[in-house]
């Protein structure tokens, strides 16, 4: 088991409610877990707790069989990669240097990236068709390219699991599809993946497991076909969404009603 979250409770100091309340979920090796939920339900808070960035009020999180609360930051960083939904750097870097930052948990406090680290980064960029960006300024590339490079940085980190916080939120359709294909490929390569999204169709495309974070702070998890149902989606989004098999696509899709 990669992750096991049990009865997690979390409240922000100035908040008037529990953002997470008795939340539980699990993730095995090579699985993709797609987390759905309305705005403000606590999806990002959950990921931040699982990454060790926030400390829950109660409950437990186990990472690769170890209590997360007893692990040091560097230990967590070796096991968990994090891809935020938006990244605006404070300084400019060459793209290759930005990706190299993913090797930081694998180097000593005063260590420097080795030739092997650089070779790994170039290999990952080549596998993603991004090698032509290596010498470019990170500030002078598109949002879609930045999102792909955040994924590249997580891959070179060589973690056991990668957490994606709404990675398609600011991307056009083409780049959304590329990111989802990369997520699926990562699972095939042995990574465990958790991805939050507002789009139920992404869960249908990725398959595997799905979970819904409710406004009361609880989580319902199961196989995608058990969780992503018309009844559950109406409760989450408050509209009459339809799940229909589209023969031309060869899959079930989530469709919205007329305006």
């Amino acid at each position: 088991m990669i992750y096991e979250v049990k009865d997690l409770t979390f409240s922000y100091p100035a908040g008037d409610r529990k953002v997470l309340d008795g939340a539980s979920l699990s993730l095995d090796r090579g699985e993709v877990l797609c987390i759905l939920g309305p705005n403000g339900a606590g999806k990002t808070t959950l990921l931040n707790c699982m990454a060790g960035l926030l400390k829950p009020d109660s409950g437990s999180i186990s990472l690769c069989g170890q209590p997360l609360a007893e692990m040091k930051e560097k230990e967590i960083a070796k096991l968990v990669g994090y891809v935020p939904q938006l990244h605006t750097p404070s300084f400019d870097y060459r793209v290759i240097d930005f990706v190299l930052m993913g090797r930081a948990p694998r180097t000593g406090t005063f260590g420097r990236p080795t030739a092997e680290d650089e070779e790994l980064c170039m290999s990952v960029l080549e596998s993603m068709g991004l090698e032509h960006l290596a010498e470019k300024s990170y500030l002078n590339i598109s949002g879609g390219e930045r999102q792909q490079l955040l994924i590249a940085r997580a891959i070179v980190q060589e973690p056991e699991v990668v957490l994606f916080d709404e990675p398609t939120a600011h991307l056009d359709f083409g780049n959304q599809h590329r990111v989802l294909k990369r997520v699926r490929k990562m699972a095939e390569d042995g990574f465990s993946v958790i991805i939050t999204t507002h789009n139920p169709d992404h869960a249908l495309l990725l398959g595997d497991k799905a979970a819904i974070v409710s406004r009361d702070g609880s989580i319902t998890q199961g196989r995608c076909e058990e969780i992503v149902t018309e009844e559950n989606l109406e409760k989450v989004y408050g509209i009459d969404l339809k799940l229909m098999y589209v023969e031309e696509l060869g899959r079930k899709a989530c469709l919205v009603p007329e305006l």
Side-chain angles (χ1 to χ4, degrees):
M1 188 73 67
I2 297 296
Y3 261 121
E4 191 163 14
V5 178
K6 290 185 177 180
D7 299 322
L8 206 68
T9 301
F10 181 88
S11 303
Y12 288 101
D16 57 356
R17 71 178 181 91
K18 292 180 180 178
V19 179
L20 300 173
D21 190 6
S24 299
L25 60 81
S26 62
L27 181 73
D28 239 327
R29 191 174 302 278
E31 285 185 331
V32 177
L33 171 62
C34 193
I35 300 178
L36 302 167
N39 286 327
K43 299 185 296 298
T44 297
T45 298
L46 174 64
L47 290 193
N48 286 336
C49 288
M50 295 176 73
L53 302 176
L54 292 176
K55 183 180 179 180
D57 302 329
S58 62
S60 64
I61 302 174
S62 174
L63 173 60
C64 295
Q66 303 178 68
L68 187 73
E70 298 176 9
M71 298 174 69
K72 296 180 179 178
E73 290 180 359
K74 191 165 185 178
E75 291 178 305
I76 298 172
K78 287 182 178 179
L79 296 172
V80 180
Y82 193 101
V83 178
Q85 61 175 288
L86 190 63
H87 179 256
T88 303
S90 300
F91 304 98
D92 195 9
Y93 307 96
R94 290 185 309 161
V95 162
I96 187 64
D97 293 327
F98 176 79
V99 177
L100 266 171
M101 292 177 192
R103 297 300 295 165
R106 304 285 174 181
T107 61
T109 303
F110 300 104
R112 295 171 60 90
T114 65
E116 289 77 15
D117 291 328
E118 293 190 15
E119 288 174 8
L120 173 61
C121 291
M122 282 305 302
S123 176
V124 170
L125 288 175
E126 288 169 3
S127 72
M128 297 177 69
L130 301 172
E131 67 276 12
H132 62 287
L133 298 177
E135 297 298 325
K136 288 192 174 183
S137 160
Y138 184 74
L139 292 177
N140 294 327
I141 58 177
S142 71
E145 289 169 333
R146 283 189 192 177
Q147 197 65 33
Q148 293 280 345
L149 290 168
L150 287 168
I151 297 172
R153 187 176 66 171
I155 292 173
V156 303
Q157 189 176 329
E158 297 184 308
E160 293 289 334
V161 58
V162 181
L163 309 179
F164 289 85
D165 188 14
E166 297 185 34
T168 62
H170 303 280
L171 302 181
D172 61 41
F173 268 18
N175 280 311
Q176 287 184 35
H177 190 257
R178 292 182 189 97
V179 167
L180 294 176
K181 283 185 70 174
R182 176 52 55 179
V183 169
R184 170 49 58 196
K185 177 67 165 56
M186 290 174 72
E188 292 170 358
D189 289 342
F191 291 95
S192 301
V193 177
I194 296 178
I195 176 173
T196 65
T197 180
H198 286 295
N199 191 334
D201 212 39
H202 293 172
L204 296 174
L205 280 165
L206 292 169
D208 278 7
K209 287 183 173 181
I212 292 175
V213 181
S214 302
R215 290 194 183 278
D216 65 4
S218 64
I219 295 178
T220 304
Q221 179 187 351
R223 303 302 303 175
C224 185
E225 59 272 17
E226 299 168 348
I227 299 299
V228 185
T229 65
E230 292 179 355
E231 181 182 1
N232 284 341
L233 293 178
E234 183 174 2
K235 291 178 182 177
V236 172
Y237 300 110
I239 57 174
D240 186 21
L241 296 171
K242 296 297 182 184
L243 301 178
M244 301 181 66
Y245 184 83
V246 181
E247 189 171 348
E248 291 82 357
L249 300 178
R251 68 174 183 87
K252 188 181 289 187
C254 180
L255 303 176
V256 298
E258 284 187 317
L259 299 177

